[in-house]
Amino acid sequence: MTDLDLGGGYSARPISLEAYRAACARLEDRIFGGNSLFAFDPPVRAAPPLGESWNWGVFHGAELIGWHHAHARDERTVYMADTGLLPEHQGRGVYSRLLPHLLDAFRAAGFTLVQSHHRATNNAVILPKLRAGFHLQGLNAYEGGVNAALTLSLDGAYGQAMHVRSGFRAPSGEAARRLGVPDEGLPGLADAPSLPLPADAEAGVDLGGGYALHRVPTATYREVYAQLEASAYETDSFDWGDRDPAPAPRGPLWSWLISHAGRVAGWQASRAWDTRTAYMVNTALLPAHRGRGVYTRLLPVVLDALHGEGYALVRSHHHLTNNAVIVPKLRAGFRFQGLQVDEHGVIAILLRSFDPAYAAYMDRRSGLTR
């Protein structure tokens, strides 16, 4: 592997394991000194053999300013164990530009899976990983705090199997065959009826690109939802059958419709979760309106409205592998807070704090800061 030009005067090239370890000894306090780690007693046993490893130095001009170290975990899995950049070189996109080169090297080496762990609130690293195709696979507490476990599949069928396991997609094709389950086929979405924006919708907030967000009465939202639900969702959820539901949670519910050219393009509904937390219950865009940045642009409008109602926290739940929604949420300041299994599948719980002191408290709890 030759030197990689990362732009902006940055480059990366392979270095020896010894050179990587020497760089860690010299620079890691400057890079990771603000993290909170449990101080173990000195080990009494030797570490297991490391096995095959890959080591890159990251340079600014001729100066070594960071590194990446990975090693084989088993015959199909490589573990991205350690990446560091000096603080003055962070926030310049160096990691995002390095990442695809690393993944190409792992793919060429014959690996199927790439795994890594990061502090659960370290969005600066988690976001580039999710954009590169990694998915959240779990949260674990360890001596460094609370870690998010991420996995990237270099095998398309296994990637689809991750969607099946999370409940985001029904099993089909090669993923169903390898899982040993019936091929249910992709159910597909019903054709969306063209609904005009209801007359009782309030004046909209401009979201750009011809889209607007309108507050509507709860009854109007529910009527629209009933007509369009089959056109918006193709996830693999448990069917409760004819069981009569219990009464809906009491408390305020805020409802919006998304419009485009005077027609309904989607919706958002939120409600109170507790005395300090609002819950973003349900957001959807009809397929023709996805991939246009609408969700990213509506998020600050909804968050401002919920903050204006007096809530300090906002939570939301999403399928574990639904990066199309999770990435905009993390970019808007949400953090991973937990996982749960419910009728929809395996769900990631996200939390957004409007109080910077509480956000800093979350970083402390995760071990990202002291």
Side-chain angles (χ1 to χ4, degrees):
M1 184 177 180
T2 58
D3 285 15
L4 301 172
D5 182 3
L6 302 179
Y10 292 94
S11 64
R13 62 176 178 265
I15 59 176
S16 67
L17 179 62
E18 293 71 24
Y20 155 70
R21 287 173 170 164
C24 286
R26 182 165 55 89
L27 298 176
E28 64 182 353
D29 281 351
R30 289 174 60 189
I31 295 175
F32 304 119
N35 292 353
S36 176
L37 284 168
F38 178 80
F40 282 107
D41 292 332
V44 296
R45 296 179 57 86
L50 181 61
E52 189 176 7
S53 69
W54 293 262
N55 308 279
W56 287 269
V58 181
F59 297 83
H60 186 244
E63 179 190 6
L64 178 72
I65 55 91
W67 57 75
H68 176 73
H69 163 76
H71 56 260
R73 176 161 277 181
D74 56 38
E75 68 277 13
R76 65 173 57 89
T77 310
V78 63
Y79 181 54
M80 299 180 71
D82 184 23
T83 306
L85 293 170
L86 289 172
E88 58 267 31
H89 297 279
Q90 296 172 12
R92 301 183 182 184
V94 178
Y95 184 71
S96 293
R97 300 195 296 274
L98 174 64
L99 187 55
H101 297 290
L102 302 179
L103 299 179
D104 285 345
F106 301 145
R107 186 179 290 107
F111 289 102
T112 304
L113 303 174
V114 185
Q115 295 181 338
S116 65
H117 290 87
H118 310 280
R119 297 307 202 288
T121 61
N122 190 2
N123 286 3
V125 174
I126 291 173
L127 272 166
K129 283 282 180 66
L130 296 184
R131 287 198 296 262
F134 283 77
H135 291 114
L136 180 67
Q137 200 173 46
L139 296 174
N140 67 286
Y142 82 126
E143 70 271 16
V146 180
N147 259 354
L150 304 183
T151 296
L152 169 69
S153 172
L154 302 176
D155 178 330
Y158 186 85
Q160 289 302 311
M162 292 176 73
H163 288 317
V164 172
R165 291 300 193 203
S166 79
F168 192 49
R169 292 287 182 266
S172 64
E174 182 66 6
R177 186 187 73 79
R178 294 205 197 185
L179 287 169
V181 299
D183 186 339
E184 298 180 13
L186 297 178
L189 294 172
D191 292 336
S194 179
L195 299 184
L197 187 69
D200 56 0
E202 295 182 7
V205 176
D206 184 10
L207 298 178
Y211 292 92
L213 187 67
H214 308 261
R215 185 75 68 92
V216 295
T218 297
T220 300
Y221 152 73
R222 288 179 171 152
E223 181 180 344
V224 169
Y225 179 88
Q227 295 180 72
L228 294 178
E229 178 184 11
S231 304
Y233 299 111
E234 53 186 333
T235 51
D236 189 28
S237 297
F238 180 78
D239 183 357
W240 290 103
D242 297 328
R243 182 190 300 268
D244 291 331
R250 295 184 178 181
L253 188 143
W254 302 275
S255 307
W256 291 267
L257 294 179
I258 305 161
S259 72
H260 184 263
R263 319 301 287 184
V264 175
W267 56 80
Q268 205 293 309
S270 297
R271 65 169 172 82
W273 180 271
D274 59 30
T275 56
R276 63 173 59 89
T277 310
Y279 174 45
M280 295 183 68
V281 180
N282 189 316
T283 309
L285 282 162
L286 296 174
H289 302 281
R290 296 172 187 169
R292 302 183 181 184
V294 179
Y295 185 72
T296 297
R297 299 196 297 272
L298 76 79
L299 267 175
V301 179
V302 173
L303 292 175
D304 284 348
L306 297 177
H307 191 202
E309 295 286 347
Y311 291 95
L313 303 171
V314 178
R315 69 184 284 144
S316 64
H317 300 167
H318 309 280
H319 285 94
L320 197 64
T321 58
N322 189 3
N323 284 5
V325 172
I326 291 174
V327 167
K329 279 283 177 64
L330 296 184
R331 293 178 69 180
F334 284 77
R335 276 92 171 271
F336 288 126
Q337 196 182 50
L339 302 176
Q340 69 181 37
V341 180
D342 62 22
E343 70 271 22
H344 299 298
V346 184
I347 302 299
I349 301 170
L350 305 184
L351 192 72
R352 169 71 156 84
S353 172
F354 296 114
D355 184 341
Y358 188 82
Y361 169 80
M362 292 177 73
D363 286 339
R364 187 185 119 188
R365 287 299 190 203
S366 78
L368 185 64
T369 59
R370 290 182 178 175

